[in-house]
Amino acid sequence: MSGGLPRRIIKETQRLQAEPVPGIVAIPDDSNARYFHVDVAGPKESPYEGGVFKLELFLPEEYPMSAPKVRFMTKIYHPNIDKLGRICLDILKDKWSPALQIRTVLLSIQALLSAPNPDDPLANDVAEQWKVNEAQAIEIAKQWTKRYAPSQPMPS
Amino acid sequence: MNSEDDLFYNDDDSAHEMDDDDDDFVEMGIEPEPTSTNEKTDVEVFLYEVLTTEQIVQHMVDCIKEVNTVVQIPATTTRILLNHFKWDKEKLMDCYYDGDQEKLFLEAHVISPFKKTPNAKKRTTRATSAAVAASVQQEVTCEICYLALPATLMTGLECGHKFCIQCWTEYLTTKIMDEGMGQVGTISCAAHNCDILVDDATVMKLVKDPKVKLKYQHLITNSFVECNRLLRWCPMPDCGHVVKVQFFDSKPVSCNCGHIFCFACGENWHDPVRCMWLKRWIKKCDDDSETSNWIAANTKECPKCHSTIEKDGGCNHMVCKKCRFDFCWVCLGPWEPHGSSWYNCNRYDEDEAKKARDSQEKSRSALQRYLFYCNRYMNHMQSLKFESKLYASIRLKMEEMQQHNMSWIEVQFLKKAVDVLCQCRQTLMYTYVFAFYLRKNNQSIIFEENQKDLENSTEHLSEYLERDITSDMLVDIKQKVQDKYRYCESRRKVLLDHVHEGYERELWDYLDSA
């Protein structure tokens, strides 16, 4: 499997561009077809609504036998995402299946934004806040969304 | 799925090759080396045997066969079921015959073999009746590699998720080689959210690389040993032996490689301390919890920004380097009320200050206590490490003595003395772990007396063995060494018996906070 891009990756990339998922944009890097620049729109009725979050997604050599590596580049206040942007999501770890795709992974991440799970935390302080005072946690998440993930570029 | 010939289920004729080993139980008492007969007779007998890797595989195959003579399902499914029940045959049988079989298969993540045949048939008949000719050319897209391939190149488990053979092979290889099949010793279907397990026969059929096959066999053998309560790998590096006992207990077992360990926890044999406390002790020693203990005892925190500060000189007027807060090192209160008395603290008796000092005092004494026990424990451990060196030097001495008109049998007492010395050191080492968690009561005072006595006599014995041997004193030395090691042996026995009696009569109280 040296050099050439597996057919699976080519197909997935084509399909992602031909039939994009609503609220998700994934564009391969010009110099590396395994590296994707991803924009995920904050889901409606979530504290992240109105924000656009930048992520990076990398397909390792073993893909699709191993899971893609995904990370938030935009700062986000979420109990399952830590300050380095690492995501706690089962399908990115032990529940990965080669039958999953970039598309399904990004959809799962979008779903995670709609349904934070403070009982399986990655960012302990955030999860704590979420459990102690959910209303306040949601308020902070909204503020962070406004501050770090504006949908239009900030006026300089 | 009948091509089981690759794995180890097929060797019917060799199945009984190892059976003669079954009677080969080694008799072991409390003693790591049961050299003295008087001790051996009055301790209970703990039966165990040491198995090689091949014998373990055979043992696993025998377990599967035993179940299969009763339960008529494929051997490869039986292994998954047994694995699910942690290799408890009786429990499997009970559930199989008394419980809900469907539920059992569901929980073990396999499709019931009784459901398989009709289902599979239905599927094939449907396919053939649809279009025999077309099905050969009919192309299906593999969900993993996205290649459109003839249906004949697709395969899968009874759950019905089909992928191409090449993807399956790659998937299994990744699971085996990169992920080591997790801790459970199983691989599930490649489809998302499908937990049906891949059986051994299918793995062996799909994986071609002998290296991967071998690793797979290692992994399932390992999971067999790991989840079987009556088996334990010898913890010695590169020793492939397994100890098999008849019932689970904390008892010393001796591997063929010579290593003696506790069957229950796998640590070196640690009488008199119990596995649970030893485990806590080792964790305590490994953790850097003692580092924080040191910090607590030797530093103070800035009362304002809580930076940790170690004072290495100067007056009591502290200015925190970080937040510039002025405070008094003695009472930890703000500096201002101290006024102009720059070098004295006259607020020493205030409650706040007292509290802060008490908490420092407490953690300092806890550290002292830990260090006391730890130093003695480490000391004996260190001495034990020189064991082989000591044996070598004693061997030289024994040769020397034989040149001074002593017979071979007459000089054996020296080796025996080293044996006893090592046993005593090992026991002493673990008495400090025991003592560390022990709450003081009348019995613990007796224990400490016994410990002191054994410690003194052990050091004397060690001293004797270090001495130079001159020919004119040979007989005298022999007498002294023999007296000393016999005394050590008896003191060791007294100490252990006392602790064991305490366990039986529940005389020991433990410090939970330690």
Side-chain angles (χ1 to χ4, degrees):
Chain A
M1 240 204 237
S2 56
L5 206 56
R7 180 189 169 81
R8 150 126 186 192
I9 296 181
I10 297 169
K11 275 245 168 176
E12 269 201 77
T13 311
Q14 284 170 355
R15 232 182 269 176
L16 271 171
Q17 267 145 18
E19 323 151 25
V21 196
I24 296 175
V25 183
I27 302 164
D29 189 83
D30 291 338
S31 60
N32 187 345
R34 288 177 175 272
Y35 186 94
F36 289 76
H37 301 272
V38 181
D39 282 345
V40 174
K44 280 214 169 68
E45 276 150 45
S46 81
Y48 311 101
E49 187 176 353
V52 172
F53 296 86
K54 286 206 175 304
L55 289 88
E56 59 175 1
L57 183 147
F58 179 70
L59 305 174
E61 182 64 31
E62 300 79 22
Y63 182 81
M65 294 308 158
S66 300
K69 310 216 176 301
V70 197
R71 195 166 74 93
F72 271 82
M73 305 298 284
T74 307
K75 233 168 123 69
I76 182 167
Y77 193 81
H78 189 289
N80 310 102
I81 300 163
D82 72 0
K83 58 180 169 211
L84 296 176
R86 295 176 300 191
I87 309 161
C88 180
L89 188 62
D90 58 356
I91 59 156
L92 291 178
K93 304 209 172 81
D94 55 320
K95 287 286 185 316
W96 169 253
S97 149
L100 289 166
Q101 314 161 16
I102 299 174
R103 174 188 300 269
T104 43
V105 165
L106 294 177
L107 277 169
S108 298
I109 291 172
Q110 205 179 31
L112 189 67
L113 294 184
S114 293
N117 178 12
D119 292 323
D120 183 18
L122 189 61
N124 269 316
D125 48 335
V126 180
E128 193 58 37
Q129 180 69 26
W130 220 276
K131 277 181 165 173
V132 173
N133 189 344
E134 196 178 328
Q136 202 188 348
I138 288 174
E139 200 43 52
I140 300 175
K142 279 185 185 162
Q143 283 170 14
W144 281 38
T145 306
K146 257 192 215 138
R147 196 184 315 160
Y148 302 111
S151 48
Q152 278 113 32
M154 272 207 279
S156 53
Chain B
M1 303 233 173
N2 281 329
S3 62
E4 294 177 6
D5 16 284
D6 258 323
L7 203 60
F8 17 66
Y9 299 119
N10 60 329
D11 40 1
D12 279 78
D13 27 23
S14 65
H16 296 284
E17 235 168 60
M18 314 292 187
D19 275 8
D20 46 342
D21 286 289
D22 282 355
D23 319 299
D24 226 11
F25 278 103
V26 187
E27 203 172 290
M28 276 297 285
I30 283 289
E31 281 283 321
E33 267 190 330
T35 32
S36 60
T37 41
N38 57 335
E39 277 203 20
K40 213 172 129 189
T41 46
D42 59 345
V43 289
E44 57 200 294
V45 172
F46 188 62
L47 293 176
Y48 67 88
E49 58 184 319
V50 180
L51 304 175
T52 60
T53 314
E54 292 75 44
Q55 286 170 315
I56 273 299
V57 171
Q58 194 54 50
H59 180 43
M60 180 166 86
V61 173
D62 289 345
C63 285
I64 295 168
K65 276 188 186 144
E66 205 185 312
V67 173
N68 266 21
T69 51
V70 188
V71 182
Q72 300 292 323
I73 50 175
T76 182
T77 310
T78 311
R79 190 187 77 82
I80 296 181
L81 290 183
L82 274 166
N83 203 58
H84 176 66
F85 284 102
K86 302 218 175 293
W87 293 87
D88 187 332
K89 282 173 283 192
E90 281 71 34
K91 213 166 150 197
L92 166 60
M93 297 292 201
D94 282 354
C95 280
Y96 191 84
Y97 286 110
D98 299 338
D100 181 350
Q101 282 191 12
E102 279 310 308
K103 197 168 149 246
L104 166 72
F105 286 120
L106 195 71
E107 281 171 358
H109 304 307
V110 285
I111 302 273
S112 163
F114 306 115
K115 256 172 134 185
K116 277 181 187 176
T117 349
N119 261 4
K121 249 185 210 154
K122 229 182 272 165
R123 219 176 288 146
T124 43
T125 44
R126 209 192 296 140
T128 43
S129 63
V132 186
S135 77
V136 185
Q137 285 131 12
Q138 194 189 0
E139 290 201 331
V140 188
T141 304
C142 168
E143 288 290 313
I144 297 178
C145 62
Y146 288 7
L147 291 175
L149 296 161
T152 46
L153 287 179
M154 305 293 280
T155 186
L157 304 169
E158 298 303 322
C159 52
H161 301 112
K162 303 267 178 193
F163 303 102
C164 78
I165 289 172
Q166 206 194 330
C167 282
W168 263 113
T169 307
E170 221 175 288
Y171 172 70
L172 295 172
T173 305
T174 309
K175 285 280 171 192
I176 295 164
M177 300 308 277
D178 298 352
E179 297 169 28
M181 290 155 66
Q183 288 302 304
V184 280
T186 49
I187 303 174
S188 57
C189 169
H192 175 48
N193 262 344
C194 177
D195 55 10
I196 293 301
L197 299 177
V198 188
D199 58 285
D200 302 331
T202 307
V203 174
M204 284 318 197
K205 197 175 69 189
L206 289 168
V207 170
K208 297 279 181 279
D209 187 343
K211 246 192 351 215
V212 182
K213 282 185 174 180
L214 193 67
K215 175 89 186 281
Y216 183 72
Q217 296 193 356
H218 281 322
L219 288 170
I220 56 178
T221 311
N222 189 43
S223 96
F224 170 68
V225 174
E226 294 280 311
C227 69
N228 195 318
R229 251 172 87 80
L230 302 179
L231 299 174
R232 183 182 281 283
W233 290 108
C234 170
M236 218 49 177
D238 297 324
C239 175
H241 289 93
V242 168
V243 171
K244 176 172 173 255
V245 296
Q246 300 202 310
F247 57 90
F248 181 89
D249 201 357
S250 169
K251 284 282 153 64
V253 291
S254 168
C255 178
N256 287 359
C257 73
H259 184 55
I260 297 162
F261 58 97
C262 169
F263 182 81
C265 68
E267 288 294 331
N268 287 348
W269 178 233
H270 50 70
D271 207 20
V273 73
R274 289 194 158 165
C275 304
M276 175 185 79
W277 296 106
L278 180 63
K279 198 175 159 196
R280 276 178 69 162
W281 173 259
I282 291 171
K283 189 171 181 302
K284 189 175 174 65
C285 294
D286 285 350
D287 273 2
D288 51 7
S289 65
E290 292 317 316
T291 308
S292 31
N293 231 335
W294 183 92
I295 289 171
N298 295 287
T299 65
K300 294 182 185 183
E301 280 175 8
C302 164
K304 199 176 168 207
C305 74
H306 301 290
S307 300
T308 307
I309 300 167
E310 185 194 2
K311 184 175 181 322
D312 60 356
C315 75
N316 289 326
H317 178 194
M318 306 295 287
V319 182
C320 176
K321 269 201 172 155
K322 217 169 169 185
C323 69
R324 317 295 308 165
F325 180 64
D326 293 69
F327 66 98
C328 167
W329 181 256
V330 180
C331 72
L332 297 177
W335 186 257
E336 215 175 287
H338 290 70
S340 57
S341 54
W342 288 96
Y343 299 98
N344 287 308
C345 174
N346 53 8
R347 307 169 61 82
Y348 195 76
D349 289 330
E350 272 188 14
D351 282 353
E352 196 80 0
K354 256 187 182 165
K355 235 193 244 162
R357 287 195 307 274
D358 278 353
S359 92
Q360 293 240 339
E361 192 72 19
K362 222 176 165 185
S363 83
R364 192 167 293 147
S365 75
L367 181 65
Q368 289 301 331
R369 183 171 184 276
Y370 167 72
L371 288 176
F372 174 90
Y373 289 100
C374 188
N375 281 339
R376 279 152 186 79
Y377 169 83
M378 291 298 182
N379 188 27
H380 286 296
M381 190 198 265
Q382 212 55 41
S383 304
L384 271 174
K385 278 189 186 150
F386 297 123
E387 197 174 327
S388 55
K389 237 176 165 179
L390 189 59
Y391 274 111
S393 87
I394 284 300
R395 212 171 297 126
L396 283 178
K397 270 185 193 164
M398 285 160 76
E399 277 166 24
E400 200 184 318
M401 290 170 99
Q402 285 178 66
Q403 288 161 9
H404 292 297
N405 287 333
M406 271 191 151
S407 66
W408 179 86
I409 195 78
E410 278 175 313
V411 299
Q412 289 309 305
F413 76 96
L414 269 179
K415 189 185 165 294
K416 169 76 181 169
V418 180
D419 290 344
V420 172
L421 179 70
C422 291
Q423 283 169 19
C424 288
R425 283 213 186 281
Q426 186 149 353
T427 303
L428 278 167
M429 176 175 144
Y430 291 116
T431 58
Y432 285 105
V433 183
F434 176 71
F436 181 71
Y437 292 105
L438 201 60
R439 194 188 294 278
K440 202 172 170 122
N441 61 18
N442 287 341
Q443 292 299 325
S444 81
I445 294 169
I446 299 175
F447 164 77
E448 274 170 10
E449 282 300 315
N450 286 338
Q451 188 189 32
K452 197 170 90 190
D453 214 1
L454 179 60
E455 178 112 65
N456 282 337
S457 48
T458 302
E459 291 310 328
H460 278 150
L461 179 61
S462 174
E463 220 175 282
Y464 279 135
L465 291 173
E466 297 288 331
R467 274 190 205 166
D468 284 334
I469 291 161
T470 46
S471 53
D472 48 324
M473 287 165 62
L474 260 185
V475 181
D476 183 40
I477 287 178
K478 178 171 177 177
Q479 193 56 50
K480 274 187 175 159
V481 168
Q482 277 180 324
D483 286 349
K484 195 45 92 181
Y485 80 62
R486 281 184 193 129
Y487 183 73
C488 285
E489 263 188 323
S490 74
R491 290 315 305 170
R492 179 170 167 267
K493 186 170 169 358
V494 166
L495 181 143
L496 290 176
D497 285 350
H498 177 239
V499 176
H500 294 155
E501 192 196 328
Y503 281 137
E504 263 162 45
R505 293 172 50 201
E506 293 178 4
L507 301 174
W508 308 121
D509 296 328
Y510 299 103
L511 295 166
D512 265 334
S513 55

